[in-house]
Amino acid sequence: MRFAFSEDQLLIQQTLAEMLEKECSHEAVEAAAKSASGRVPGLWQQLVAMGIPAVALPEAQGGLGGDELDLVLLLQEAGRRALPEPLAETAAVAAPLLRELGGELAAEWLPRIAEGAVVVVGLASEPFVGFADGAELLILERGGELFALAPSAVKCEAQRSVDDARRIARVEWSASPAARIASGERAAALAAAAFERSALAAAAQLVGLGRYMVDLTVAYAKGREQFGQAIGAFQAVKHQIASAHLKLEFARAIVQHAAYTLAKGWDSRQLDVSTAKALAGDAAHLCGRAALQCHGAIGYTYEYHLHLWLKRAWALEKAFGDAPWHRRRAAALLLDGRAPSEAAPQAPARDPARLRGRRAP
Amino acid sequence: MDLTYSAAEEAFRAEARAWLEANVPKDLPPLDSAEGFPLHVAWEKQLFANRWAVVSWPKAYGGREASVIEWLIFEEEYYRAGGPQRATQNGIFLLAPTLFEFGTQEQQDRILPKLAAAEELWCQGWSEPGAGSDLASLSARAERVDGGFRLYGQKTWATRGSFSHKLFGLFRSEPGSQRHKGLSYLLVDLHQDGVTVRPIDKLDGGEGFAEIFFDGAFVPDADVLGGVGKGWEVAMATTGSERGLTLRSPGRFLATATRLIELCRSQPEAAGERLRDRVADAWMQAEAYRVFTLESVTRIVEGRAVGADSSLMKVHWSELDVALHETALELLGASAELAPGAPASADRGRWIEGYQFALAGPIYAGTNEIQRNIIAERILGLPRK
């Protein structure tokens, strides 16, 4: 029993944090929000040069052979800097899907991801696809089957997000048999895994977004003076920030825990991911509210950059199941012994102590 | 990261589970009652006789030298089996960590075995009528005399004070000293002249509190813990024990969350979607406490400091405990008000009884408002003034 990251994992996190502090400053994110691409020029290439999108690729395909646990700290950092790049979409979702799919498509695209190709996954449960416009390959789910399409075979209808530094689109496409890459139980398993990974990646970014908003607010409350003292000395301000930090710390631990159980394929992984997404969404929301309230009017301006973090959190809170959805799923797992979408239960409800599951299947 | 248990840890769990399932007493009357107290003490003696009272302690004092992970496992199994609240908790979870850190060999040898065996029960002497959250304003004094001190003044809210033999507490040993300075951590025999103990009934009617008046009671030099005038440092060094995991390990909340799930399953007609969500959320908060504790324990094992994080834990578990019980009472609906002993009561009034106990959580061990100040100032670095 050891709940801690390895030195290697912490070193990559630190390296990424230092790079993003320079290259993904809030000015860079603000500029991205105003640009057509919504991205930071050259940043993806730098991430590729560092090997970040390849962390979870097999070693044979130019990766580090990592898993969800190796990615979770990096996704937290991405959230902390409101990174407007497809790290979650490509590295944490598309790459593992291709790895599990195997075959020619994986052999072709995994090395290309290591070299910087953007691949995205569009799940049937999600109305919009992040970074669809500009992706070099789209893996799309429809009718219980998975299809792989080139950008020329789809039409991306860009949607303006409340977060100006976020690029999402509705993808229109037709499902041709030639493009089909999986069907039946195999497609269902691949799509289900992609959903869990997407929800976990969103949760990890929410933890980072919340962290940034709390830290920014602490710095502001130390410097801003009213009634002859720093506003951070007032209990009404202190307690709001303390409550946000408190929720966030427990959410962080539970997100890292879900990364572990997902990586290990434990029976409890759906429940763990739902717990992670619900607590991270609620925590980031609270951090955003506390940050805005404690900043006062300056935080409410477009000029001050807090709004970009706030809005990214709003978007990710709702994507891949919001907190109420994940609580409903958890309730079904805990009380009925099955996920809500599954068929009527044959087996009796599972023992929640056992569901908390310490053993791999 | 490795969240699996070793074969030895699983064997420890199996041994604890088997013994607890066979021996945990069912349906004991409340601990804080004249009728229930001796039965709870008898249970503590049975735990001690089988070396389950203080599993993490040295074998010489009745323990098993269990690791902190094994201690967490024991706690999970204890509450899973339905074990009652520990009558010895103030001694084993609050005084003992301080004794291990600051006590002399003589003090440890003399005090710890009787404490673990429930032969001597201890209560805490922190609060005074004028010193609650602002503990450093305390005024009960210890006057220097030949061979020790004589005590004058009053302590209050001493949990189970009227059932206890001894008290550990802070007294002002330097005349005229202010605030945190000039205090000593003293171990006081309550069964002597110059001590008057008056019980105070708690919210639930149980005889759980006492106020204690000192008028010349004697404390020998051998019963000063950690040095004269060092009381504040000694007391604060182990407040983390009270706030964090030793007093309230995840096991008890996991057991309550499991009972809540069973209650919800047994009342499907009462559990609409909103209540099912609340049950799920309460379970998630208990799970988050379990996971956060694993991280803290890893830091302890690897010699890294936990520090003010115990304040995060204290706010979390106390709010979690209230949420678990409020959700259960909502599921019970109009039956929620039924007290233990009501003929129509389901679960013998355990939920309403547990709710009243849970409501104390945000108040004792430093109110949650004080904890939020600590989080803001010591963890986040916000200014004190």
Side-chain angles (χ1 to χ4, degrees):
Chain A
M1 178 64 66
R2 179 177 190 268
F3 192 110
F5 288 88
S6 70
E7 282 184 22
D8 284 351
Q9 286 164 337
L10 294 171
L11 185 66
I12 299 181
Q13 177 193 22
Q14 193 191 337
T15 309
L16 177 63
E18 285 167 7
M19 190 274 259
L20 292 180
E21 189 175 354
K22 283 203 286 274
E23 308 297 335
C24 192
S25 62
H26 71 82
E27 291 91 347
V29 180
E30 288 172 294
K34 287 172 186 150
S35 76
S37 73
R39 296 175 63 176
V40 179
L43 184 51
W44 185 247
Q45 289 71 22
Q46 279 184 279
L47 289 165
V48 170
M50 281 177 66
I52 300 294
V55 163
L57 296 181
E59 289 177 38
Q61 272 114 358
L64 295 177
D67 56 26
E68 286 79 2
L69 197 59
D70 297 296
L71 284 167
V72 69
L73 294 176
L74 309 182
L75 292 164
Q76 284 177 221
E77 289 306 321
R80 201 159 71 86
R81 290 289 159 192
L83 177 74
E85 302 295 322
L87 186 64
E89 290 78 2
T90 296
V93 181
L97 189 154
L98 283 166
R99 188 186 67 212
E100 286 175 358
L101 179 74
E104 281 179 23
L105 197 71
E108 180 189 350
W109 282 94
L110 288 175
R112 291 181 66 176
I113 288 175
E115 288 162 12
V118 173
V119 180
V120 299
V121 177
L123 295 169
S125 61
E126 304 299 308
F128 313 114
V129 182
F131 297 96
D133 205 0
E136 291 169 57
L137 180 74
L138 297 93
I139 299 171
L140 301 165
E141 183 196 13
R142 181 178 292 164
E145 298 182 312
L146 287 177
F147 301 83
L149 289 99
S152 57
V154 305
K155 186 168 163 257
C156 289
E157 183 194 36
Q159 308 292 321
R160 186 176 169 203
S161 167
V162 65
D163 170 8
D164 284 333
R166 179 170 158 84
R167 292 293 176 271
I168 53 171
R170 188 160 62 193
V171 180
E172 288 171 27
W173 56 290
S174 40
S176 71
R180 186 167 57 217
I181 54 171
S183 57
E185 282 182 20
R186 185 143 177 272
L190 288 167
F195 177 81
E196 303 302 333
R197 292 190 181 110
S198 299
L200 178 69
Q205 291 173 88
L206 284 161
V207 166
L209 287 157
R211 181 77 266 146
Y212 186 87
M213 291 192 282
V214 168
D215 292 346
L216 185 71
T217 308
V218 166
Y220 180 78
K222 280 185 189 174
R224 169 73 176 166
E225 291 192 2
Q226 286 288 275
F227 303 101
Q229 63 174 42
I231 61 166
F234 291 113
Q235 235 172 19
V237 173
K238 265 184 193 160
H239 285 194
Q240 283 193 59
I241 306 176
S243 294
H245 173 76
L246 173 76
K247 288 270 180 227
L248 190 64
E249 270 296 280
F250 283 88
R252 176 194 54 72
I254 210 81
V255 165
Q256 295 170 347
H257 171 259
Y260 176 88
T261 69
L262 197 53
K264 301 291 177 191
W266 282 16
D267 277 349
S268 61
R269 60 190 182 275
Q270 281 192 322
L271 182 59
D272 297 331
V273 168
S274 277
T275 303
K277 184 64 168 56
L279 296 194
D282 286 349
H285 192 86
L286 186 68
C287 292
R289 288 297 308 271
L292 184 59
Q293 190 65 27
C294 294
H295 272 85
I298 186 73
Y300 194 75
T301 63
Y302 196 87
E303 192 180 312
Y304 189 71
H305 66 282
L306 172 63
H307 74 98
L308 285 166
W309 271 251
L310 203 54
K311 291 166 180 172
R312 183 71 56 82
W314 295 346
L316 292 180
E317 265 175 69
K318 301 290 190 280
F320 308 106
D322 60 7
W325 187 92
H326 281 285
R327 276 195 293 270
R328 274 199 298 284
R329 184 169 81 153
L333 288 163
L334 289 164
L335 296 166
D336 316 326
R338 66 189 166 97
S341 58
E342 290 173 14
Q346 302 297 316
R350 281 186 285 177
D351 172 7
R354 209 176 64 78
L355 237 183
R356 215 173 287 121
R358 294 174 183 91
R359 285 162 208 89
Chain B
M1 185 107 52
D2 174 9
L3 304 185
T4 58
Y5 292 99
S6 68
E9 286 161 350
E10 294 287 9
F12 178 87
R13 183 189 292 280
E15 187 187 353
R17 179 173 295 187
W19 189 85
L20 288 164
E21 281 180 352
N23 290 283
V24 161
K26 303 291 179 207
D27 304 332
L28 285 185
L31 168 58
D32 298 328
S33 67
E35 171 200 15
F37 186 75
L39 299 173
H40 284 263
V41 170
W43 163 239
E44 285 293 339
K45 289 184 192 297
Q46 191 186 345
L47 277 171
F48 183 76
N50 290 277
R51 292 196 306 122
W52 291 114
V54 284
V55 293
S56 60
W57 287 23
K59 288 180 178 157
Y61 297 149
R64 292 172 180 246
E65 297 176 9
S67 69
V68 61
I69 298 289
E70 286 170 331
W71 176 77
L72 282 177
I73 291 171
F74 173 78
E75 289 278 300
E76 281 185 17
E77 294 302 323
Y78 183 87
Y79 290 103
R80 183 185 175 278
Q85 196 191 338
R86 300 290 301 272
T88 53
Q89 67 166 31
N90 287 334
I92 61 179
F93 295 140
L94 305 182
L95 173 58
T98 316
L99 266 172
F100 279 118
E101 190 168 339
F102 296 97
T104 63
Q105 192 66 49
E106 184 277 325
Q107 286 174 326
Q108 293 179 5
D109 291 346
R110 173 163 53 92
I111 296 167
L112 289 168
K114 287 181 183 168
L115 180 159
E119 286 172 27
E120 282 180 358
L121 291 155
W122 289 80
C123 66
Q124 197 179 37
W126 288 166
S127 295
E128 297 178 5
S133 287
D134 183 11
L135 180 60
S137 69
L138 66 87
S139 62
R141 62 187 206 279
E143 281 187 19
R144 205 44 164 137
V145 294
D146 258 4
F149 293 91
R150 296 231 171 246
L151 307 183
Y152 300 90
Q154 183 187 351
K155 292 288 178 184
T156 192
W157 315 136
T159 297
R160 276 180 289 290
S162 52
F163 300 109
S164 296
H165 308 93
K166 309 259 181 174
L167 172 143
F168 56 95
L170 284 179
F171 294 84
R172 201 161 285 290
S173 53
E174 188 184 313
S177 61
Q178 296 291 317
R179 308 290 303 164
H180 316 83
K181 301 199 176 81
L183 303 174
S184 294
Y185 191 123
L186 303 181
L187 307 172
V188 186
D189 186 355
L190 292 175
H191 293 175
Q192 62 166 308
D193 290 342
V195 176
T196 308
V197 179
R198 192 183 76 82
I200 302 174
D201 291 351
K202 292 182 304 177
L203 182 89
D204 62 9
E207 199 181 294
F209 286 141
E211 55 184 347
I212 301 174
F213 301 89
F214 299 98
D215 186 16
F218 182 68
V219 176
D221 285 331
D223 285 337
V224 178
L225 184 53
V228 174
K230 301 261 170 49
W232 187 262
E233 292 77 4
V234 173
M236 289 306 119
T238 49
T239 49
S241 312
E242 183 179 30
R243 289 170 189 158
L245 64 100
T246 49
L247 181 66
R248 296 288 178 256
S249 73
R252 60 190 292 154
F253 306 110
L254 295 169
T256 308
T258 301
R259 281 203 297 127
L260 178 64
I261 284 166
E262 285 161 2
L263 177 70
C264 189
R265 279 183 189 153
S266 72
Q267 319 249 336
E269 66 292 339
E273 191 166 285
R274 194 184 61 85
L275 264 178
R276 283 169 57 95
D277 284 5
R278 285 186 54 185
V279 169
D281 191 56
W283 180 87
M284 287 176 176
Q285 302 298 344
E287 173 71 354
Y289 187 51
R290 181 183 77 86
V291 169
F292 192 86
T293 300
L294 291 177
E295 185 184 51
S296 297
V297 162
T298 301
R299 279 194 274 168
I300 292 168
V301 168
E302 297 182 354
R304 290 175 282 142
V306 174
D309 274 10
S310 60
S311 292
L312 296 175
M313 298 171 95
K314 198 267 163 168
V315 176
H316 186 86
W317 65 248
S318 59
E319 292 182 351
L320 156 66
D321 205 20
V322 172
L324 285 163
H325 285 87
E326 285 186 339
T327 308
L329 295 180
E330 203 163 329
L331 277 163
L332 289 168
S335 298
E337 68 169 294
L338 295 177
S345 168
D347 207 17
R348 300 176 308 280
R350 267 180 90 181
W351 285 111
I352 191 69
E353 195 177 52
Y355 181 51
Q356 292 175 84
F357 183 73
L359 286 176
I363 300 170
Y364 65 76
T367 66
N368 285 10
E369 286 70 28
I370 293 290
Q371 304 307 328
R372 283 187 163 88
N373 287 351
I374 293 171
I375 294 165
E377 292 164 12
R378 298 201 204 144
I379 299 179
L380 299 173
L382 287 165
R384 294 177 72 88
K385 275 215 162 95

